[in-house]
Amino acid sequence: MPTVDASPYPFTFHPESTALLIIDMQRDFVEPGGFGETLGNDVSKLQKVIPPLVRLLGAARAAGLPVIHTREGHLPDLSDCPPAKLNRGAPSMRIGDPGPKGRILIRGEYGHDIVDDLKPLGDEPVIDKPGKGSFYATNLGELLAEKGVTSLIVTGVTTEVCVHTTVREANDRGFECLVVSDCVGSYFDGFQEAGLAMIAAQGGIFGWVTPSDKLIEVM
Ligand code: C5J
């Protein structure tokens, strides 16, 4: 069985019950002119994730692992966006406002879609989620059960928000989670470091952490 050197201790996985989960690698978070930038963030910090994630995605596809993508966003009438989310903070543009890449975080808009380098293949599920967690108000749990998946290789953005929320949701649902340190990204260096440390702390309270080169080697 493949075993990866990881923190806090080696992670062993069954390829037939492991999926690669790629969270919210959308133009709205990663490219200028999107939601992330309207909140005042430096999106170049998230762009660093793309090259290692492209390599990991290639290795996962070659190894035959199921690949599942998620996108955070809302219906055009915003009926699935709670006012608390819509109104929070003081962004220069709100969810649903017209921006350079279409309406911010709205399904079907150019900015809402996944960046070209990580474009899903036709047979790779894309889960549209209204929240931060990938399990909340989606069919991800059912999809993983149908595929017999019990372990998740978790990647995407942002480390402390949608990645963390998803890992916590997955942990409570009994999944083993390996978070790939250079394939997750944050706008804040301190949050990236602390977010990864929190996952592996206390004997792996939420899961394991490893860099992509170690994982690709065993794939
Ligand atoms: C955020 C996400 N940060 N995908 N979403 O609002 O992490």
Side-chain angles (χ1 to χ4, degrees):
M1 236 173 344
T3 299
V4 191
D5 183 22
S7 177
Y9 57 89
F11 178 80
T12 297
F13 62 100
H14 302 259
E16 62 282 1
S17 58
T18 302
L20 173 65
L21 184 63
I22 304 183
I23 298 174
D24 300 358
M25 288 302 294
Q26 297 159 253
R27 298 187 183 101
D28 261 331
F29 292 113
V30 173
E31 293 183 0
F35 184 58
E37 198 178 66
T38 71
L39 294 170
N41 296 305
D42 171 7
V43 292
S44 70
K45 293 210 177 272
L46 301 196
Q47 288 168 5
K48 284 193 289 197
V49 168
I50 297 175
L53 187 45
V54 166
R55 287 194 291 278
L56 182 63
L57 175 58
R61 284 174 176 159
L65 261 57
V67 177
I68 300 168
H69 306 255
T70 72
R71 293 183 298 205
E72 180 179 347
H74 297 279
L75 297 169
D77 66 1
L78 296 175
S79 56
D80 60 350
C81 184
K85 180 175 182 183
L86 193 59
N87 297 326
R88 191 161 315 136
S92 54
M93 282 186 285
R94 286 182 193 280
I95 296 171
D97 284 352
K101 293 179 191 295
R103 290 181 69 203
I104 303 271
L105 276 197
I106 297 296
R107 293 181 193 166
E109 300 286 342
Y110 181 74
H112 171 265
D113 212 353
I114 292 167
V115 297
D116 291 336
D117 288 345
L118 297 165
K119 200 175 161 59
L121 297 180
D123 61 345
E124 292 172 356
V126 179
I127 306 278
D128 280 317
K129 62 186 184 64
K132 306 303 185 195
S134 301
F135 289 85
Y136 169 69
T138 73
N139 68 344
L140 178 60
E142 289 79 2
L143 185 76
L144 295 174
E146 267 166 34
K147 291 180 182 292
V149 169
T150 54
S151 295
L152 295 172
I153 294 169
V154 184
T155 63
V157 297
T158 62
T159 307
E160 74 280 12
V161 184
C162 291
V163 171
H164 242 265
T165 307
T166 298
V167 167
R168 288 168 190 237
E169 284 182 324
N171 188 71
D172 284 351
R173 287 166 171 78
F175 292 90
E176 310 276 27
C177 294
L178 175 66
V179 177
V180 188
S181 53
D182 52 337
C183 293
V184 294
S186 172
Y187 301 116
F188 306 93
D189 295 342
F191 291 173
Q192 172 79 356
E193 196 184 331
L196 292 172
M198 276 185 231
I199 290 163
Q202 301 177 76
I205 197 140
F206 296 126
W208 288 256
V209 176
T210 198
S212 60
D213 54 352
K214 290 188 176 171
L215 179 56
I216 291 171
E217 202 177 295
V218 300
M219 264 183 184

